Amino acid sequence: MNLKEVIDVIDGELLVDAPVNIDIRNACCSDLMSDVLMFVKPNMLLITGLTNPQSVRTADMAEVPVIVFVRGKYPAAETLALAEELGIAVVLSAYTMFETAGLLYQAGLRGLGKLPIVRQR
Amino acid sequence: MKSRFTLLSLLGGDGGLGKVHELIREIRVGRVMTTALFTVAPDNLMSELKELMREHHISGVPVVENGALAGIVSIEDLIHALEAGKLDSPVRDFMTSGTLIVARANEPVMEAVRRFEATKIGRMPVLDTQDKLVGILTRGDIIEALLSALQEVYSEAERIHERPEYFFQALESDSTSLVLRYHVKHRDFAGGGNASAKIKQALLRIGASPLLARRVAIATYEAEINLIIHTDNGGTITADIKPYEISILAEDRGPGIPDVELACQPGYSTATPEIREMGFGAGMGLVNIKRCTDDMNIWSAVGIGTRLQMVFRVSPEETKRGESSN
C-alpha cells in the first residue's frame, strides 16, 4: 500500500508530505513510545494518538516512514516541523485508533502476528 | 610530441577511466544531445542566420525543409558568406547538404565519438528511428556527459573512503576511536532524541549498516529519555566508536536507582502520570536497551548517580551498507 492509498482508506488528511517510495505492508498502534521502539520494524506504519514531537523522534529511530495521528487530534506545530525536517510523512485521521487500524487492516495491512508473552510485575 | 590527445584515448583508458568508458558506452545519444533546437529553412537569408547564431550563441544550425532535415549550416559557412559579401543570399547557397553525417538518438555515445574522431565535423543533427530531427549533438555535449560520469566515479570512490575501515586506517594509533559527547538536559522533552539522532547520523556517515545504526539509535534514545525523565540535573551521553565495537555511556549525577534489578523488570516504572501522558514510562526502556545491545551494564548508587554502559559489537556484515534490517 502506498501513502496515497493509506490516506484514501482512512479518508485522512496529509499534514506533512514526504517521498515515501515503499510498499507499506505492516502497521502498529501505540501511544507508548517504548512499545513502538520495542516492536516496530523498519518501513512499518505507526498509528498513534501521541502527538508530541517524541512520536516523530521515535519514528525516526525506528525508521517509520509514515505516522498516522488518530481521533482528529491535530499535532502541535513543533511536531510537524520535526517531521518535515526528518522527512517523515504525517497523516491525520478523524477516526479513533481502533477504527483507523480496522480500516487499514481491512484494506490489507497486517501487524506483527503473535508475540511472546512477557510477564510483568 | 608525445601522444595525441583524443576523446577516444581518454575514454578507452584503464583503471577508474575504464568505468567512465563503460558509462559512456552505455549512455545513448538521446540523453546527451541538446534538445532546445533552433532550425532554419533553406529560404531563410544568411543575415537571418547570423542574427539567430548571435542571439543564441550557437555555432551550427540544422536546415529543415517540409519537416525533413535538408542540411546543416555552420559558423564557417557564415564566414564564407560574409567574405563573399553575400549575407542577403539564402541559406540554401551556403549550407552543407546531400549525404549528411548524423547521429541516432538511440545509438551509444561511443559510436558518435568515433564519428567525430573520423570526420572533423563539429556537430551532428540527431535523428530518431523515424528520421525525425530530435536534437543536435556537439563535442561539448559529450564532454559534459563525460564530466558527469567522472563525477559519478569520483563520488563513489569518496563514499568508499568514508567507510570506517578506510576512515580508521588513515589514523595511526594503538587503538583508534571516535568519541562523540552530548549533554542531555533534565526535562527537555523537546530536545529529547537529539543526541541519539546525531549518533545515528554519524554512524551511517562512517559506513555502519542501517541495522547497526538502528539498534544503537533505539537503545541510545531510551537512555536519553531516561536522563530527561529520571535525573536531577540531566546527564551526558558519550559514544565511543571503534571499528569493531561501539560503546555508549549514559551518565548522570543522581538521584540514582535504589534497586537496579527491579528497575530492569519489564513493566516496572517510577514515572509520573504526566510522563506517561507523553508516551514514556511504560517500564520497557531498560528491557528494550538490553534487547538492542550485546552487553549492558548498570552501576548506580542513591545520592551519587547512575552509569549505564551499552556495548554493540560490529559484526562484519554490519559495516556493509544497504542490507535490510531484521
Side-chain angles (χ1 to χ4, degrees):
Chain A
M1 200 179 281
N2 62 30
L3 178 58
K4 198 190 164 293
E5 288 165 324
V6 168
I7 296 168
D8 287 348
V9 165
I10 58 175
D11 195 15
E13 188 186 333
L14 184 65
L15 301 186
V16 176
D17 198 4
V20 182
N21 302 319
I22 40 160
D23 181 26
I24 301 162
R25 294 187 182 173
N26 300 85
C28 81
C29 296
S30 184
D31 283 353
L32 292 174
M33 292 303 115
S34 274
D35 277 355
V36 175
L37 290 170
M38 190 93 176
F39 301 120
V40 81
K41 300 257 195 287
N43 299 337
M44 273 181 94
L45 187 79
L46 170 61
I47 302 165
T48 183
L50 185 81
T51 54
N52 68 30
Q54 293 311 320
S55 56
V56 179
R57 277 289 180 209
T58 302
D60 182 41
M61 300 302 158
E63 276 142 54
V64 165
V66 184
I67 305 175
V68 177
F69 290 119
V70 295
R71 311 171 208 130
K73 197 167 153 192
Y74 206 98
E78 49 184 1
T79 303
L80 297 178
L82 187 63
E84 186 104 48
E85 184 194 323
L86 297 172
I88 294 167
V90 175
V91 178
L92 181 63
S93 165
Y95 289 104
T96 62
M97 186 185 279
F98 179 75
E99 283 170 298
T100 303
L103 288 167
L104 288 168
Y105 192 91
Q106 207 168 32
L109 283 197
R110 288 295 174 266
L112 290 170
K114 269 179 128 178
L115 294 171
I117 289 165
V118 180
R119 294 205 187 279
Q120 305 206 353
R121 296 175 60 92
Chain B
M1 206 162 87
K2 279 176 188 164
S3 63
R4 221 166 64 88
F5 177 83
T6 66
L7 269 175
L8 263 184
S9 68
L10 181 59
L11 295 178
D14 48 15
L17 284 178
K19 172 84 176 158
V20 178
H21 189 200
E22 205 180 291
L23 279 165
I24 292 285
R25 239 202 310 234
E26 280 167 20
I27 300 173
R28 306 277 148 169
V29 167
R31 263 188 57 198
V32 169
M33 67 185 186
T34 302
T35 50
L37 197 55
F38 298 99
T39 61
V40 289
D43 294 333
N44 281 121
L45 299 179
M46 289 305 278
S47 56
E48 293 172 298
L49 173 74
K50 181 174 71 93
E51 284 312 302
L52 184 75
M53 284 182 161
R54 187 165 63 187
E55 198 178 325
H56 300 287
H57 307 286
I58 45 179
S59 57
V61 182
V63 185
V64 175
E65 188 170 33
N66 302 326
L69 181 68
I72 187 154
V73 60
S74 71
I75 203 154
E76 280 171 36
D77 300 323
L78 180 64
I79 290 167
H80 289 152
L82 273 166
E83 282 172 347
K86 287 184 170 175
L87 277 185
D88 51 353
S89 298
V91 164
R92 185 191 307 281
D93 293 356
F94 288 92
M95 70 184 192
T96 306
S97 58
T99 316
L100 287 174
I101 300 162
V102 297
R104 295 284 171 179
N106 62 352
E107 74 178 332
V109 167
M110 201 64 192
E111 295 298 316
V113 169
R114 290 214 174 90
R115 221 161 305 136
F116 272 129
E117 289 292 326
T119 64
K120 285 295 157 201
I121 55 172
R123 66 199 61 75
M124 290 190 272
V126 183
L127 304 179
D128 67 8
T129 46
Q130 273 92 51
D131 283 350
K132 194 172 152 280
L133 180 69
V134 289
I136 192 156
L137 182 73
T138 65
R139 290 164 186 252
D141 293 329
I142 294 174
I143 288 169
E144 250 176 63
L146 175 69
L147 286 177
S148 70
L150 271 172
Q151 178 65 40
E152 234 170 89
V153 171
Y154 178 72
S155 327
E156 195 174 307
E158 220 174 29
R159 278 199 296 277
I160 289 168
H161 280 277
E162 278 176 358
R163 289 181 188 168
E165 53 266 53
Y166 289 92
F167 178 77
F168 285 103
Q169 264 168 22
L171 308 167
E172 267 187 55
S173 83
D174 291 334
S175 165
T176 304
S177 70
L178 172 68
V179 177
L180 306 171
R181 201 169 284 114
Y182 303 88
H183 300 285
V184 180
K185 287 192 208 116
H186 172 58
R187 311 214 42 101
D188 177 19
F189 284 99
N194 256 330
S196 316
K198 298 250 168 68
I199 291 172
K200 185 182 184 185
Q201 274 167 19
L203 287 175
L204 288 172
R205 201 167 294 158
I206 62 172
S209 72
L211 175 58
L212 175 65
R214 184 178 134 88
R215 65 190 184 101
V216 173
I218 289 178
T220 309
Y221 183 49
E222 290 280 13
E224 191 176 352
I225 291 296
N226 280 348
L227 291 180
I228 292 169
I229 296 174
H230 296 295
T231 57
D232 297 328
N233 293 302
T236 56
I237 289 180
T238 310
D240 186 344
I241 303 165
K242 296 191 180 78
Y244 55 91
E245 188 181 272
I246 296 160
S247 168
I248 311 253
L249 195 62
E251 290 173 290
D252 64 70
R253 290 169 167 243
I257 305 167
D259 186 340
V260 171
E261 205 185 311
L262 183 63
C264 289
Q265 296 287 322
Y268 178 82
S269 177
T270 56
T272 60
E274 184 202 349
I275 282 160
R276 284 171 200 256
E277 237 168 68
M278 305 202 63
F280 293 96
M284 297 304 280
L286 288 171
V287 182
N288 204 7
I289 289 172
K290 202 160 202 166
R291 184 185 68 99
C292 290
T293 53
D294 292 308
D295 222 331
M296 177 184 102
N297 303 298
I298 305 184
W299 176 91
S300 189
V302 174
I304 297 176
T306 303
R307 279 169 65 110
L308 165 67
Q309 190 198 24
M310 302 174 281
V311 180
F312 308 84
R313 273 183 274 285
V314 181
S315 58
E317 52 287 3
E318 284 187 321
T319 52
K320 267 189 268 151
R321 274 176 174 275
E323 110 276 26
S324 63
S325 320
N326 290 25

